[in-house]
Amino acid sequence: MAAKAGDNPESLMTLATVFCLRNLRKTMCYQGFKNKLCLRSDIFLPSEICDKLVNTYMELVHTDNLEAIRKQDLIELHLTYCNSLSSRSLKTLTCFRETLLSLCLFGCSHIFYRKGGAPLACNEDSEDEEEETPVSRQALEMDFNFQGFNRLRLLNLGGLPDEMDAETLLKPLKSLTSLDLSNVQLPGTAFLTQWKDRLASLVLYNVDLSEELVSTVVELVNLRHFDISRESRRTSKFKMTRKILTAFVQRLVNLVSLDISGHIMQDNSTVPHFEEAIGRPSIEPCKSSIYPLQELKRPLQFLGLYDTTLCNVTHIPAYKVTGSKNEDQVLNAIEAYTEFRPELAHRAINQLFDIARIQHCSQLLRALQLVIAALKCHKYDKSIQVTGSAALFYLTNTEYCSDQSVRLRREVIQVVLNGMEQYQEVTVQRNCCLTLCNFSIPEELEFQYSRVNQLLLKILEPARQDESIQRIAVHLCNALVCQVDNHHKEAVGKMGFVKTMLNLIQKKLQDRTCDQVMEFSWSALWNITDETPDNCQMFLNCRGMSLFLECLQEFPDKQELHRNMLGLLGNVAEVKALRPQLLTPQFITVFSNLLDSKADGIEVSYNACGVLSHIMFDGPEVWSMEEPLRDTVMDKMMDAIQSWDVSSRRNINYRSFEPILRLLPQGIAPVSQHWATWALFNLVSVYPGKYCPLLIKEGGVILLEKVLELDSSHPETKDMARKVMEQCETFKDDPMETNQGQEVNFGQRG
């Protein structure tokens, strides 16, 4: 049997990390002074394990906070898009100057301003605590430079403010081997040559090309990775040419990675199609369809050609290429640009969306993992969240789901729920809800059951919601409370489920609209009240019966609506303590009139009769009203039952016969007994494979025997009871079901 995508088991490292974090006192910590958790003295954690613990902890508790790092001898510090940092945090950075080897401050431009933001670590001076001031009105921190950071090798200052003088800031650094100055204004670039003998990686994304820059870069002969890519939308007077690209390739002989994405070549840099080397696409430099790359001594490990025409040529001398020509190039682009270039990753994910929607995604596991990583990395980036959630919808649909493991699909569910929690935007919410519809509900969502219900109810809270989101969210709510145990239903009821559904119904009544939201809301109430008395009580307490009457009056011809409402009231009627609230002249008259309904086959009439059967079961002494007379209603019930076709297929799904079976061995209300027997006769006749075993299991045959013994039972009731018993006996002898009738699962039970 072929392995499914994402089916590899979790590593022992991952499992052990999660266990230790969930059981700190039992593993690596003890409870010290003032209940503070302290690391045991006999525990030593290598840096790779520390990294794993911190990263996993941040995922488990959904936090991005950095705490108490000031006293640590940090070797590596990686901060991205931390806009709350201010220049006070620069003081903290100096604490690490003797140990830091790698520092990333990408997108942390506020750190170079004196006002606003919170300090990086604790124990810093808290003077001048003022309200946060816009960056435009804040003073630039001019006193800081990297003096004393003698061990620093890798530095990322992407997004450094234009006012900062990069040359002065960086001059003290003597040992740099990797430098990222993405989106930095560089008046001059000659200062880069101070590292010409050491620099192995230089990233100048969105830095304008110039003659000085080209002259400087070709002197950095030890470069192995060079990135001069740009957003194609940015304008630049100085253009990339065949001559410049050739100079880079010829002079930077150690290059293994090159990114020129977004550049429009100004002259003919590609081999004409009719002159290209014959045969399959090749990575050999001598066959390159891009002239300057024929100068390479060996294929590049990575070549960025995203948003260029060069990605469309046949022969590209690189093992990994970013572009938009095919799925592989698109996935490479998502992988390469997610962390620091969400604007490019967003466009690549959008292209993946088209591949999954229109064509076929052949690298399903990789595609899902990359989209999940992008959504986790950019929780608050609208473009990433919109395109990522849309891509997940198509990557998890029926075309692909059979190839996905349980663990992978759970990871998708979790990132979708994260998006719903963290980004309250209409398109994102709609995409996330639609993606959840691709999963088996409630089975695949049960491991996050409480969380998903809370999120959906939160979506449905606003008085006026986007119509499509409302419809999808109500559908999901309905599916989540269908076919789950009573414990789950009670828990969801306490979250406000019943009140939320009734509020939706109230709004639809005000609009005089009976649509899917209205019908799904009643169906959801039908399901959540099944064998859950507390939820039935909530329905009554929240004016449920008034809304029932208003809906009947406003929408007299809506058959499915009537069926759902009567199914719900059947659940309420099963609760003995609540039945007195139904025993009023108004309600009894309504139920009695609905016995004549032909809506949705027999379903409305059947459910109305079920409600009355439970009420009649309480005996004549509780019937205190003068009109309608109890006997009159019972006669009408009997007439209705006799009018039904016993071979009718049903829009109902019973998980238990217990509420029906309790009506059998009694003489208080023979008509209730008759209704219960008819219900069993219909179900075991039309769906013997499902309902004969259920009836036998719940002791129904024994109770039917008692019906035969009672003098009060109607002859017709006894006749049906015998036929039910015969059907069960036949089924035991020959359990192969030949009847192909199928129920439509609109609700749990009537």
Side-chain angles (χ1 to χ4, degrees), residues 630-665:
R630 183 171 184 267
D631 289 343
T632 302
V633 176
M634 288 196 294
D635 289 342
K636 196 169 183 179
M637 290 168 62
M638 187 64 76
D639 291 340
I641 296 170
Q642 290 176 340
S643 72
W644 301 337
D645 181 356
V646 78
S647 62
S648 298
R649 294 187 178 183
R650 307 300 307 283
N651 290 339
I652 200 166
N653 181 26
Y654 283 93
R655 291 187 303 125
S656 170
F657 283 142
E658 192 277 330
I660 292 177
L661 296 179
R662 72 169 76 123
L663 299 178
L664 290 179

Short mmCIF file of all heavy atoms in Angstrom, two decimals, residues 630-665:
data_model
loop_
_atom_site.label_atom_id
_atom_site.label_comp_id
_atom_site.label_asym_id
_atom_site.label_seq_id
_atom_site.Cartn_x
_atom_site.Cartn_y
_atom_site.Cartn_z
N ARG A 630 -58.65 16.18 24.51
CA ARG A 630 -57.59 15.18 24.36
C ARG A 630 -58.03 14.07 23.40
O ARG A 630 -57.25 13.64 22.53
CB ARG A 630 -57.25 14.60 25.73
CG ARG A 630 -56.09 13.58 25.72
CD ARG A 630 -55.68 13.25 27.16
NE ARG A 630 -54.53 12.37 27.20
CZ ARG A 630 -54.57 11.03 27.25
NH1 ARG A 630 -55.78 10.42 27.27
NH2 ARG A 630 -53.48 10.31 27.28
N ASP A 631 -59.27 13.59 23.56
CA ASP A 631 -59.75 12.50 22.70
C ASP A 631 -59.80 12.94 21.23
O ASP A 631 -59.50 12.16 20.32
CB ASP A 631 -61.13 12.03 23.16
CG ASP A 631 -61.08 11.26 24.47
OD1 ASP A 631 -59.96 10.82 24.82
OD2 ASP A 631 -62.13 11.11 25.12
N THR A 632 -60.20 14.18 21.01
CA THR A 632 -60.27 14.69 19.63
C THR A 632 -58.89 14.68 18.98
O THR A 632 -58.72 14.27 17.82
CB THR A 632 -60.84 16.11 19.62
OG1 THR A 632 -62.13 16.10 20.22
CG2 THR A 632 -60.93 16.65 18.21
N VAL A 633 -57.88 15.11 19.75
CA VAL A 633 -56.51 15.15 19.21
C VAL A 633 -56.00 13.73 18.96
O VAL A 633 -55.36 13.45 17.93
CB VAL A 633 -55.57 15.90 20.17
CG1 VAL A 633 -54.13 15.84 19.66
CG2 VAL A 633 -56.02 17.35 20.33
N MET A 634 -56.32 12.80 19.88
CA MET A 634 -55.86 11.42 19.70
C MET A 634 -56.50 10.79 18.46
O MET A 634 -55.84 10.05 17.72
CB MET A 634 -56.16 10.60 20.95
CG MET A 634 -55.28 10.94 22.14
SD MET A 634 -55.31 9.67 23.45
CE MET A 634 -57.01 9.83 24.00
N ASP A 635 -57.79 11.08 18.24
CA ASP A 635 -58.45 10.55 17.03
C ASP A 635 -57.78 11.10 15.77
O ASP A 635 -57.57 10.36 14.79
CB ASP A 635 -59.93 10.93 17.03
CG ASP A 635 -60.73 10.18 18.08
OD1 ASP A 635 -60.22 9.14 18.56
OD2 ASP A 635 -61.84 10.63 18.44
N LYS A 636 -57.43 12.35 15.82
CA LYS A 636 -56.79 12.96 14.66
C LYS A 636 -55.39 12.36 14.43
O LYS A 636 -54.94 12.18 13.29
CB LYS A 636 -56.69 14.48 14.86
CG LYS A 636 -56.40 15.24 13.58
CD LYS A 636 -56.58 16.74 13.76
CE LYS A 636 -56.35 17.47 12.44
NZ LYS A 636 -56.52 18.92 12.56
N MET A 637 -54.71 12.04 15.52
CA MET A 637 -53.40 11.39 15.41
C MET A 637 -53.53 10.03 14.75
O MET A 637 -52.74 9.67 13.86
CB MET A 637 -52.77 11.24 16.81
CG MET A 637 -52.34 12.55 17.46
SD MET A 637 -51.92 12.35 19.22
CE MET A 637 -50.53 11.22 19.13
N MET A 638 -54.53 9.26 15.18
CA MET A 638 -54.73 7.92 14.61
C MET A 638 -55.04 8.01 13.12
O MET A 638 -54.51 7.23 12.31
CB MET A 638 -55.86 7.21 15.35
CG MET A 638 -56.02 5.74 14.95
SD MET A 638 -54.59 4.70 15.34
CE MET A 638 -54.82 4.53 17.11
N ASP A 639 -55.87 8.97 12.73
CA ASP A 639 -56.20 9.15 11.31
C ASP A 639 -54.95 9.48 10.50
O ASP A 639 -54.76 8.99 9.38
CB ASP A 639 -57.24 10.26 11.14
CG ASP A 639 -58.60 9.88 11.70
OD1 ASP A 639 -58.84 8.66 11.85
OD2 ASP A 639 -59.42 10.79 11.96
N ALA A 640 -54.10 10.33 11.06
CA ALA A 640 -52.88 10.73 10.36
C ALA A 640 -51.95 9.53 10.16
O ALA A 640 -51.42 9.31 9.05
CB ALA A 640 -52.15 11.82 11.13
N ILE A 641 -51.77 8.72 11.21
CA ILE A 641 -50.88 7.57 11.12
C ILE A 641 -51.37 6.59 10.06
O ILE A 641 -50.59 6.04 9.26
CB ILE A 641 -50.77 6.87 12.50
CG1 ILE A 641 -50.12 7.81 13.52
CG2 ILE A 641 -49.97 5.57 12.39
CD1 ILE A 641 -50.19 7.32 14.95
N GLN A 642 -52.67 6.36 10.04
CA GLN A 642 -53.22 5.41 9.08
C GLN A 642 -53.13 5.91 7.63
O GLN A 642 -53.24 5.14 6.69
CB GLN A 642 -54.68 5.11 9.45
CG GLN A 642 -54.79 4.28 10.73
CD GLN A 642 -56.24 4.06 11.16
OE1 GLN A 642 -57.14 4.79 10.74
NE2 GLN A 642 -56.45 3.05 12.01
N SER A 643 -52.89 7.22 7.47
CA SER A 643 -52.78 7.77 6.12
C SER A 643 -51.36 7.67 5.57
O SER A 643 -51.13 7.88 4.38
CB SER A 643 -53.22 9.24 6.10
OG SER A 643 -52.26 10.06 6.76
N TRP A 644 -50.39 7.34 6.40
CA TRP A 644 -49.00 7.30 5.96
C TRP A 644 -48.68 6.00 5.23
O TRP A 644 -49.19 4.93 5.58
CB TRP A 644 -48.04 7.44 7.14
CG TRP A 644 -48.21 8.70 7.94
CD1 TRP A 644 -48.75 9.87 7.53
CD2 TRP A 644 -47.83 8.87 9.32
NE1 TRP A 644 -48.73 10.79 8.55
CE2 TRP A 644 -48.17 10.21 9.66
CE3 TRP A 644 -47.25 8.06 10.29
CZ2 TRP A 644 -47.95 10.73 10.94
CZ3 TRP A 644 -47.02 8.57 11.55
CH2 TRP A 644 -47.37 9.89 11.88
N ASP A 645 -47.81 6.09 4.26
CA ASP A 645 -47.33 4.92 3.53
C ASP A 645 -46.17 4.31 4.30
O ASP A 645 -45.14 4.95 4.50
CB ASP A 645 -46.88 5.33 2.13
CG ASP A 645 -46.40 4.16 1.29
OD1 ASP A 645 -46.34 3.03 1.82
OD2 ASP A 645 -46.05 4.38 0.11
N VAL A 646 -46.32 3.08 4.73
CA VAL A 646 -45.31 2.46 5.58
C VAL A 646 -44.00 2.20 4.84
O VAL A 646 -42.96 1.95 5.46
CB VAL A 646 -45.86 1.14 6.19
CG1 VAL A 646 -45.80 0.01 5.15
CG2 VAL A 646 -45.09 0.76 7.46
N SER A 647 -44.03 2.28 3.52
CA SER A 647 -42.79 2.07 2.75
C SER A 647 -42.08 3.39 2.44
O SER A 647 -41.14 3.43 1.63
CB SER A 647 -43.10 1.34 1.44
OG SER A 647 -43.96 2.11 0.62
N SER A 648 -42.52 4.47 3.08
CA SER A 648 -41.93 5.79 2.81
C SER A 648 -40.45 5.81 3.19
O SER A 648 -40.06 5.35 4.27
CB SER A 648 -42.65 6.87 3.62
OG SER A 648 -44.01 6.96 3.26
N ARG A 649 -39.64 6.38 2.28
CA ARG A 649 -38.24 6.61 2.62
C ARG A 649 -38.14 7.88 3.45
O ARG A 649 -38.91 8.81 3.28
CB ARG A 649 -37.39 6.72 1.34
CG ARG A 649 -37.36 5.39 0.59
CD ARG A 649 -36.40 5.42 -0.57
NE ARG A 649 -36.37 4.13 -1.24
CZ ARG A 649 -35.58 3.84 -2.25
NH1 ARG A 649 -34.77 4.76 -2.74
NH2 ARG A 649 -35.60 2.64 -2.81
N ARG A 650 -37.11 7.91 4.30
CA ARG A 650 -37.12 8.92 5.37
C ARG A 650 -35.97 9.91 5.28
O ARG A 650 -34.86 9.58 4.91
CB ARG A 650 -37.06 8.21 6.73
CG ARG A 650 -38.13 7.14 6.90
CD ARG A 650 -39.54 7.71 6.79
NE ARG A 650 -39.74 8.82 7.68
CZ ARG A 650 -39.96 8.70 8.98
NH1 ARG A 650 -40.04 7.50 9.53
NH2 ARG A 650 -40.14 9.77 9.74
N ASN A 651 -36.28 11.14 5.67
CA ASN A 651 -35.27 12.18 5.83
C ASN A 651 -34.94 12.33 7.31
O ASN A 651 -35.08 13.40 7.90
CB ASN A 651 -35.79 13.52 5.29
CG ASN A 651 -35.90 13.52 3.79
OD1 ASN A 651 -35.27 12.72 3.12
ND2 ASN A 651 -36.71 14.41 3.26
N ILE A 652 -34.47 11.26 7.89
CA ILE A 652 -34.24 11.26 9.34
C ILE A 652 -33.21 10.18 9.64
O ILE A 652 -33.06 9.22 8.87
CB ILE A 652 -35.56 11.00 10.09
CG1 ILE A 652 -35.47 11.47 11.54
CG2 ILE A 652 -35.98 9.54 10.02
CD1 ILE A 652 -36.82 11.56 12.22
N ASN A 653 -32.52 10.32 10.76
CA ASN A 653 -31.47 9.37 11.08
C ASN A 653 -31.48 9.10 12.59
O ASN A 653 -31.12 9.97 13.38
CB ASN A 653 -30.11 9.92 10.65
CG ASN A 653 -28.98 8.95 10.95
OD1 ASN A 653 -29.19 7.75 11.01
ND2 ASN A 653 -27.79 9.48 11.14
N TYR A 654 -31.89 7.92 12.99
CA TYR A 654 -31.96 7.56 14.40
C TYR A 654 -30.65 6.91 14.86
O TYR A 654 -30.17 5.97 14.24
CB TYR A 654 -33.10 6.58 14.64
CG TYR A 654 -34.47 7.21 14.68
CD1 TYR A 654 -35.26 7.30 13.52
CD2 TYR A 654 -34.99 7.74 15.85
CE1 TYR A 654 -36.52 7.87 13.55
CE2 TYR A 654 -36.25 8.32 15.90
CZ TYR A 654 -37.00 8.38 14.74
OH TYR A 654 -38.24 8.96 14.77
N ARG A 655 -30.09 7.44 15.94
CA ARG A 655 -28.93 6.79 16.56
C ARG A 655 -29.38 5.85 17.67
O ARG A 655 -28.65 4.96 18.07
CB ARG A 655 -27.97 7.84 17.13
CG ARG A 655 -27.26 8.66 16.07
CD ARG A 655 -26.20 9.56 16.69
NE ARG A 655 -26.75 10.45 17.68
CZ ARG A 655 -26.33 10.54 18.93
NH1 ARG A 655 -25.35 9.77 19.35
NH2 ARG A 655 -26.88 11.39 19.78
N SER A 656 -30.58 6.12 18.23
CA SER A 656 -31.11 5.29 19.30
C SER A 656 -32.64 5.28 19.21
O SER A 656 -33.25 6.27 18.81
CB SER A 656 -30.69 5.83 20.67
OG SER A 656 -31.37 5.18 21.72
N PHE A 657 -33.22 4.13 19.57
CA PHE A 657 -34.68 4.02 19.60
C PHE A 657 -35.25 4.25 20.99
O PHE A 657 -36.46 4.12 21.20
CB PHE A 657 -35.11 2.63 19.12
CG PHE A 657 -35.04 2.44 17.63
CD1 PHE A 657 -34.63 1.23 17.08
CD2 PHE A 657 -35.42 3.45 16.77
CE1 PHE A 657 -34.59 1.04 15.71
CE2 PHE A 657 -35.39 3.27 15.39
CZ PHE A 657 -34.96 2.07 14.86
N GLU A 658 -34.40 4.58 21.95
CA GLU A 658 -34.85 4.64 23.34
C GLU A 658 -36.09 5.52 23.55
O GLU A 658 -37.05 5.10 24.21
CB GLU A 658 -33.69 5.12 24.22
CG GLU A 658 -33.94 4.95 25.72
CD GLU A 658 -34.75 6.11 26.30
OE1 GLU A 658 -34.64 7.24 25.78
OE2 GLU A 658 -35.53 5.88 27.25
N PRO A 659 -36.14 6.76 22.99
CA PRO A 659 -37.35 7.58 23.21
C PRO A 659 -38.61 6.98 22.60
O PRO A 659 -39.72 7.23 23.09
CB PRO A 659 -36.99 8.91 22.52
CG PRO A 659 -35.50 8.94 22.49
CD PRO A 659 -35.09 7.52 22.27
N ILE A 660 -38.46 6.18 21.53
CA ILE A 660 -39.62 5.52 20.93
C ILE A 660 -40.02 4.30 21.75
O ILE A 660 -41.22 4.06 22.01
CB ILE A 660 -39.31 5.10 19.47
CG1 ILE A 660 -39.14 6.34 18.59
CG2 ILE A 660 -40.40 4.21 18.91
CD1 ILE A 660 -38.77 6.04 17.16
N LEU A 661 -39.02 3.55 22.19
CA LEU A 661 -39.30 2.30 22.90
C LEU A 661 -40.03 2.54 24.22
O LEU A 661 -40.82 1.69 24.66
CB LEU A 661 -37.99 1.54 23.16
CG LEU A 661 -37.23 1.06 21.91
CD1 LEU A 661 -35.95 0.35 22.30
CD2 LEU A 661 -38.13 0.13 21.07
N ARG A 662 -39.80 3.68 24.85
CA ARG A 662 -40.46 3.93 26.14
C ARG A 662 -41.98 4.11 25.98
O ARG A 662 -42.72 4.06 26.96
CB ARG A 662 -39.84 5.15 26.82
CG ARG A 662 -40.17 6.49 26.20
CD ARG A 662 -39.73 7.63 27.12
NE ARG A 662 -38.29 7.81 27.07
CZ ARG A 662 -37.69 8.97 26.75
NH1 ARG A 662 -38.43 10.03 26.45
NH2 ARG A 662 -36.39 9.07 26.74
N LEU A 663 -42.44 4.33 24.74
CA LEU A 663 -43.87 4.50 24.50
C LEU A 663 -44.59 3.17 24.24
O LEU A 663 -45.82 3.15 24.11
CB LEU A 663 -44.09 5.41 23.27
CG LEU A 663 -43.53 6.83 23.36
CD1 LEU A 663 -43.77 7.57 22.04
CD2 LEU A 663 -44.16 7.60 24.52
N LEU A 664 -43.83 2.06 24.17
CA LEU A 664 -44.46 0.78 23.78
C LEU A 664 -45.25 0.09 24.90
O LEU A 664 -46.46 -0.13 24.74
CB LEU A 664 -43.38 -0.17 23.23
CG LEU A 664 -42.78 0.20 21.86
CD1 LEU A 664 -41.72 -0.81 21.47
CD2 LEU A 664 -43.88 0.25 20.80
N PRO A 665 -44.62 -0.27 26.01
CA PRO A 665 -45.35 -1.10 26.99
C PRO A 665 -46.21 -0.25 27.93
O PRO A 665 -45.89 -0.09 29.10
CB PRO A 665 -44.22 -1.80 27.74
CG PRO A 665 -43.09 -0.83 27.71
CD PRO A 665 -43.23 -0.04 26.45
#
